[in-house]
Amino acid sequence: MSDPGPAERYARATDSARHDRSHPLTAAFAASQPFDLDPFQIDGCRALEDGRSVLVAAPTGAGKTIVGEFAVHLAMREPGDKAFYTTPMKALSNQKFRELQEVYGEGEVGLLTGDTNINGNARVVVMTTEVLRNMLYADSPALRGLRYVVMDEVHYLADRFRGAVWEEVIIHLAPSVKLVSLSATVSNAEEFGDWLDTVRGDTQVIVSETRPVPLEQHVLVRGDLLPLFDDRAGIATAQVNQELMRIRSFKGANFERNHRVQASNSARQAGYEASGRRPHRGNKRPVRSANVRRIERLDRPDVVELLRRANLLPAIFFIFSRVGCDAAVQQVRRSGVQLTTPEERREIREVVEERTRTLLEEDLAVLGFWEWRENLERGVASHHAGLLPAFKEVVEELFQRKLVKVVFATETLALGINMPARTVVLEKLEKFNGEARVAITSGEYTQLTGRAGRRGIDVEGHAVIQWTEGLDPQAVAALASRRTYPLNSSFRPTYNMAVNLIDQFGRARAREILESSFAQFQADRAVVGIARQVREQEETLAGYAKAMTCDRGDFAEYSRIRRELSDLEKTNRKDANASRRTRDERQRHIASLRTQMQRHPCHLCPDREHHARWAERYWRMKRDIDKLRRQIEARTGTVARIFDRVVDVLGALDYVTIADDGATGLTPAGRTMRRIYGERDLLVAESLRRGIWKNLDAPSLAALACALVYEPRRDDGGPGERGLPRGAFRGAFDATLTLWQELDDLERDHRLPGSEPIAAGLSGAMHSWARGGALDRVLIEADMAAGDFVRWAKQTIDLLDQLSIVADQPIAGTARKALDAVRRGIVAYSGV
């Protein structure tokens, strides 16, 4: 592309100056940034300055959050205005909280993440999306003065477990609140923007496909970094590197040759064995082609050294296994790799000591602290969900400060945390999804490699794919070329959602609100397309009907009799095991149809078979149209129908009252359920109402709450009788499990999907922890990493906190004691 001439440059400058005059706030904000804003960032800020909501979809690392930060900037200009910044994860909330504190000061910025409450009445509050949803349903006073809500990583609404929360927030925010939706690049951003425009009012959609730092794609083969594409000018027009294709072809041809030679040897050996003769000495070993040379994978320390020599550090190695991440760190450590200077090592130790000073001395050895710190001082670390939150935060900070040079991470690191690298290495292009090994998608590839290239530091980022047996360069190129993936709603009404909607709006209005969900919007759009198909096919059907018209009578009726007769005769031939009575009845029916057919006036038409060919096409088309009509019927009003089933279950259990005219209200039990959030909302509410847990002490209630939130691994067979806490817990757990079975049956009777049974696999360890057990003993009992235990403990705390608020005594008091007993040691740690 040639440089613009003087006239074009002048025109661009004049246009920019005109926009700056009409958008002075955007111009001033852009001038205050340490780098020039990209066009999509400026467009987003100008839309907000014009009083519009905005959806910004751009690649990972492109700087979408600048638009969100401008919304906060606008709120802070007007006294009394507020801005909420929501994220899908506590780690992201913590990070954004620290960043905004640096800009606006500690007194102006708050943090709410369920287990952390810092300055919650501040004018700028960072929070998880669930916290905002709960505030909306409770009509919290903190919502007064709210002018902007930033929803970072809004594409999370596709998450099947938590996605509904995003839609609830978007639907229920006051019309006066401007929404800033920040998304990864998705292929249907316009569709999502159209929905936002429908439910939120004037919303501008801004899509950017441009990475701020260009990405170079490489394949690591035998110690060489070969470019994936021959043409580095642009992926859209690039061709796959022919050298890679030759390597693959060479490997494939040699594999086939080897396979044939080995098959021949095996056959010869089988012949010798069958005849009893001994093989010739020269055939003791299988013959191999002299050209076969296995492409050896470099060991990880060698890959690290290669990247260091090529000046491609810092790097993130994505390994889709926690065990693999930790093993990789050990492998690099054993090799003696040292990536840091003495000055960097001193700085690393200072950061580690400062950030982990609250951890108990006796827990450090259990957590592998000393080895972890030594690895950090070498410049190497792992990052995954099993790592203690305190350790993860240290790794993130040291990597951002360029002190840690290599991180071996699972894909969770790619989800929004600000940890860009110069290079991203993918060891494999497949992962275990819990059931089988599957290839990563183009969206996942884009998300992972999006970490490569640090804005303002790197001229280009680098993605390195390690060669593996069977690697297809064309397939890799396809992954790298497709930048987007569709955003599909996972919204479904819950019991808590239902009682809150009924309480605020009544049943009729609640149904209307649910029909405005993105889920129904997408279903209705699909219906529009299907309806178009039906109309087109009905025109074709009319043509077929005309073509089979017979002047002797109704050929449609005649062809229907023929089809029914033919189908019945086929059934009779196949169903040889039918009873004598059934076969006799079928024969009588066949005889009757044959008589009808022969007596029909069209039967003697000389063009009968010509008409019949058109009739066959007619009936096939009609069958297809009927199928499409059933699809339309199934999709129309889907969300509202599910809501009705949820309300019917609530009515059967007396959480809502349903009058003869359909009017619905809440009972006292329904009002309690308004404040119970989570997958087990109905089970928790019903357990409280029946008093199943009233005799539990604090450790036992903690253990039971843990059973309600814990999701066991597929290979977790449960604790067995010996692993369960003693005393009142067992009776309460059995009663809760029986209640779950009752509710599950009731849900299925009302055509709802039901739920998984509660699992006590972690209850014994949580009981021990709540009783003050030592960390080492508890982790052995839990049989899990410290980070995993902390995560489940915090979810247990969230449920106990709800119980302390909504339950009657003595359960409320016991829940508070249980909460305090669980929130200690590594669970109580907060890095903020």
Side-chain angles (χ1 to χ4, degrees):
M1 184 178 176
S2 59
D3 291 333
E8 188 176 347
R9 286 199 297 271
Y10 176 77
R12 287 184 185 179
T14 303
D15 187 57
S16 177
R18 187 177 71 253
H19 275 296
D20 285 348
R21 286 194 297 273
S22 61
H23 296 88
L25 300 180
T26 298
F29 179 76
S32 70
Q33 299 304 306
F35 52 85
D36 292 339
L37 296 192
D38 290 334
F40 85 89
Q41 295 169 322
I42 292 172
D43 288 346
C45 293
R46 286 172 177 167
L48 286 172
E49 188 172 352
D50 289 339
R52 309 176 73 187
S53 292
V54 65
L55 165 65
V56 180
T60 301
K64 299 182 287 290
T65 55
I66 280 290
V67 182
E69 289 162 10
F70 181 65
V72 175
H73 171 77
L74 291 178
M76 294 301 285
R77 290 185 72 257
E78 300 295 331
D81 281 4
K82 290 181 178 180
F84 287 171
Y85 198 110
T86 73
T87 76
M89 295 183 293
K90 293 175 183 178
L92 276 177
S93 295
N94 294 344
Q95 191 176 77
K96 203 70 207 175
F97 171 67
R98 288 192 291 267
E99 291 173 5
L100 290 172
Q101 274 190 325
E102 291 175 7
V103 177
Y104 298 106
E106 292 185 5
E108 296 287 5
V109 183
L111 177 67
L112 296 172
T113 61
D115 60 339
T116 303
N117 186 337
I118 302 173
N119 199 17
N121 292 317
R123 292 180 59 197
V124 180
V125 184
V126 183
M127 61 185 68
T128 51
T129 318
E130 282 85 353
V131 170
L132 178 53
R133 185 272 311 271
N134 298 351
M135 291 171 69
L136 287 167
Y137 279 151
D139 195 20
S140 169
L143 296 169
R144 293 178 195 133
L146 183 61
R147 293 292 173 265
Y148 297 93
V149 167
V150 181
M151 301 196 78
D152 203 352
E153 309 285 339
V154 75
H155 50 272
Y156 254 79
L157 67 77
D159 183 270
R160 69 190 184 98
F161 295 111
R162 302 171 56 207
V165 176
W166 274 255
E167 292 190 48
E168 288 179 83
V169 168
I170 291 168
I171 291 169
H172 293 307
L173 278 171
S176 59
V177 177
K178 300 304 173 189
L179 190 66
V180 183
S181 304
L182 307 177
S183 171
T185 311
V186 292
S187 53
N188 59 335
E190 287 76 11
E191 178 189 43
F192 184 51
D194 287 347
W195 174 68
L196 289 172
D197 198 76
T198 301
V199 296
R200 300 295 317 158
D202 193 7
T203 301
Q204 182 166 334
V205 179
I206 298 168
V207 178
S208 173
E209 300 276 359
T210 307
R211 282 178 50 95
V213 181
L215 182 66
E216 293 288 335
Q217 314 264 355
H218 311 274
V219 179
L220 178 57
V221 187
R222 294 197 194 102
D224 293 327
L225 285 175
L226 301 180
L228 175 60
F229 297 99
D230 282 336
D231 178 11
R232 299 193 179 197
I235 286 177
T237 58
Q239 298 295 317
V240 176
N241 187 340
Q242 291 306 300
E243 186 175 353
L244 292 172
M245 298 305 295
R246 282 193 296 272
I247 291 171
R248 183 172 190 268
S249 300
F250 178 76
K251 288 287 293 176
N254 280 328
F255 175 82
E256 289 295 329
R257 189 182 306 120
N258 238 14
H259 183 72
R260 287 196 301 271
V261 170
Q262 288 178 352
S264 175
N265 286 340
S266 298
R268 191 179 297 117
Q269 180 69 30
Y272 287 133
E273 290 174 357
S275 64
R277 292 182 291 131
R278 296 182 64 184
H280 188 271
R281 290 175 65 86
N283 289 320
K284 280 188 175 179
R285 294 182 181 177
V287 177
R288 290 186 180 276
S289 167
N291 292 325
V292 174
R293 182 157 64 114
R294 188 171 185 273
I295 297 179
E296 298 289 345
R297 283 171 64 93
L298 286 183
D299 287 337
R300 287 168 180 139
D302 295 328
V303 179
V304 171
E305 279 297 331
L306 183 150
L307 296 178
R308 174 156 68 170
R309 288 196 304 272
N311 195 29
L312 293 178
L313 296 181
I316 299 172
F317 286 66
F318 281 109
I319 302 173
F320 302 113
S321 154
R322 300 178 187 183
V323 173
C325 291
D326 293 335
V329 173
Q330 295 305 318
Q331 191 179 4
V332 172
R333 172 185 174 158
R334 285 195 300 271
S335 73
V337 167
Q338 182 70 261
L339 303 175
T340 53
T341 65
E343 293 75 18
E344 288 174 328
R345 288 196 286 278
R346 279 196 296 273
E347 192 173 347
I348 287 169
R349 182 165 290 215
E350 288 173 5
V351 171
V352 169
E353 290 178 354
E354 168 63 24
R355 298 299 297 276
T356 61
R357 67 182 189 278
T358 59
L359 296 177
L360 300 176
E361 189 76 25
E362 60 267 26
D363 290 343
L364 296 182
V366 179
L367 298 170
F369 173 83
W370 313 109
E371 188 176 298
W372 171 73
R373 188 179 70 179
E374 183 184 337
N375 292 334
L376 289 176
E377 291 177 9
R378 287 178 178 273
V380 182
S382 63
H383 188 288
H384 54 73
L387 210 59
L388 193 69
F391 287 10
K392 277 200 293 189
E393 289 176 18
V394 170
V395 171
E396 291 160 14
E397 181 177 344
L398 293 176
F399 194 80
Q400 290 165 10
R401 291 168 63 167
K402 309 186 202 63
L403 295 171
V404 164
K405 318 294 184 183
V406 172
V407 170
F408 296 95
T410 56
E411 61 187 310
T412 54
L413 186 146
L415 300 175
I417 297 173
N418 183 25
M419 279 183 66
R422 177 165 293 174
T423 304
V424 163
V425 180
L426 298 181
E427 293 194 347
K428 294 181 180 178
L429 294 177
E430 61 176 24
K431 64 176 185 177
F432 186 70
N433 67 357
E435 296 180 354
R437 298 205 70 81
V438 296
I440 64 172
T441 65
S442 59
E444 289 167 334
Y445 183 92
T446 303
Q447 191 86 359
L448 296 168
T449 57
R451 291 283 149 214
R454 299 165 298 175
R455 185 168 187 154
I457 301 174
D458 298 321
V459 177
E460 59 195 16
H462 298 267
V464 175
I465 313 301
Q466 285 197 267
W467 185 279
T468 56
E469 292 298 317
L471 183 77
D472 181 0
Q474 292 281 15
V476 179
L479 277 179
S481 302
R482 288 198 300 270
R483 298 280 179 191
T484 58
Y485 55 96
L487 178 61
N488 294 315
S489 173
S490 61
F491 184 83
R492 61 179 179 83
T494 66
Y495 298 106
N496 170 271
M497 187 192 304
V499 293
N500 275 291
L501 289 174
I502 289 170
D503 186 49
Q504 288 187 299
F505 306 108
R507 184 173 185 173
R509 175 72 180 125
R511 290 180 98 261
E512 292 175 14
I513 289 171
L514 292 173
E515 288 187 326
S516 69
S517 67
F518 187 44
Q520 192 59 55
F521 185 83
Q522 286 190 308
D524 290 343
R525 284 212 162 182
V527 164
V528 170
I530 296 171
R532 188 183 303 115
Q533 278 183 268
V534 169
R535 285 196 300 274
E536 292 169 355
Q537 292 188 7
E538 281 178 336
E539 292 175 12
T540 306
L541 192 69
Y544 291 164
K546 187 176 181 181
M548 72 174 179
T549 301
C550 178
D551 58 2
R552 303 215 175 182
D554 184 351
F555 203 90
E557 181 186 52
Y558 176 73
S559 63
R560 180 191 59 76
I561 296 170
R562 275 179 53 144
R563 283 174 60 86
E564 189 177 351
L565 176 61
S566 175
D567 291 344
L568 202 57
E569 287 175 336
K570 285 178 186 176
T571 302
N572 206 35
R573 284 194 299 270
K574 289 179 181 179
D575 192 10
N577 297 322
S579 67
R580 177 69 177 270
R581 180 179 177 182
T582 300
R583 291 180 66 83
D584 287 347
E585 287 180 359
R586 200 179 287 152
Q587 282 298 140
R588 282 195 294 273
H589 194 186
I590 288 172
S592 172
L593 287 171
R594 191 173 285 125
T595 301
Q596 289 180 50
M597 181 184 73
Q598 292 169 349
R599 291 177 178 175
H600 198 283
C602 293
H603 189 63
L604 298 176
C605 176
D607 295 324
R608 183 185 69 194
E609 294 309 310
H610 173 72
H611 296 325
R613 284 192 290 273
W614 285 108
E616 195 59 35
R617 295 174 189 172
Y618 174 90
W619 289 110
R620 277 202 301 267
M621 179 66 72
K622 188 173 187 310
R623 185 177 63 237
D624 292 343
I625 291 174
D626 290 343
K627 184 177 179 181
L628 290 173
R629 289 188 189 283
R630 287 194 296 272
Q631 288 183 30
I632 290 173
E633 186 179 345
R635 292 180 183 229
T636 305
T638 310
V639 177
R641 279 203 302 275
I642 295 172
F643 172 73
D644 287 338
R645 293 169 192 167
V646 166
V647 173
D648 288 343
V649 170
L650 291 170
L653 293 169
D654 198 33
Y655 284 88
V656 299
T657 57
I658 304 174
D660 292 338
D661 61 357
T664 309
L666 298 189
T667 65
R671 283 191 284 276
T672 297
M673 186 183 280
R674 288 178 309 170
R675 294 174 292 172
I676 299 174
Y677 303 98
E679 292 289 313
R680 306 283 191 184
D681 48 7
L682 182 60
L683 180 59
V684 170
E686 193 66 3
S687 296
L688 290 177
R689 187 164 69 165
R690 298 191 187 188
I692 292 173
W693 306 334
K694 64 183 179 182
N695 295 323
L696 295 176
D697 60 11
S700 296
L701 186 57
L704 194 56
C706 179
L708 291 166
V709 299
Y710 177 59
E711 296 170 14
R713 301 185 302 267
R714 289 184 178 272
D715 57 351
D716 186 352
E721 284 294 314
R722 291 184 180 180
L724 291 175
R726 296 182 181 279
F729 172 85
R730 296 194 183 192
F733 177 79
D734 289 343
T736 308
L737 187 58
T738 300
L739 174 58
W740 166 80
Q741 291 171 331
E742 290 178 22
L743 297 179
D744 192 63
D745 290 342
L746 182 63
E747 287 176 316
R748 294 180 192 280
D749 288 345
H750 285 83
R751 291 179 295 157
L752 291 170
S755 59
E756 292 296 315
I758 59 175
L762 190 57
S763 293
M766 195 60 66
H767 187 268
S768 299
W769 180 254
R771 291 178 61 202
L775 178 63
D776 57 346
R777 296 284 299 277
V778 169
L779 292 182
I780 291 171
E781 191 174 354
D783 189 25
M784 65 176 54
D788 290 322
F789 179 76
V790 169
R791 186 172 77 256
W792 292 120
K794 290 196 171 183
Q795 290 194 34
T796 300
I797 287 172
D798 285 345
L799 178 53
L800 290 170
D801 189 40
Q802 291 181 44
L803 295 179
S804 71
I805 296 169
V806 304
D808 296 329
Q809 295 299 344
I811 295 176
T814 306
R816 178 54 56 186
K817 291 176 185 175
L819 187 157
D820 292 338
V822 174
R823 187 186 282 157
R824 66 179 181 87
I826 60 171
V827 178
Y829 169 83
S830 173
V832 176

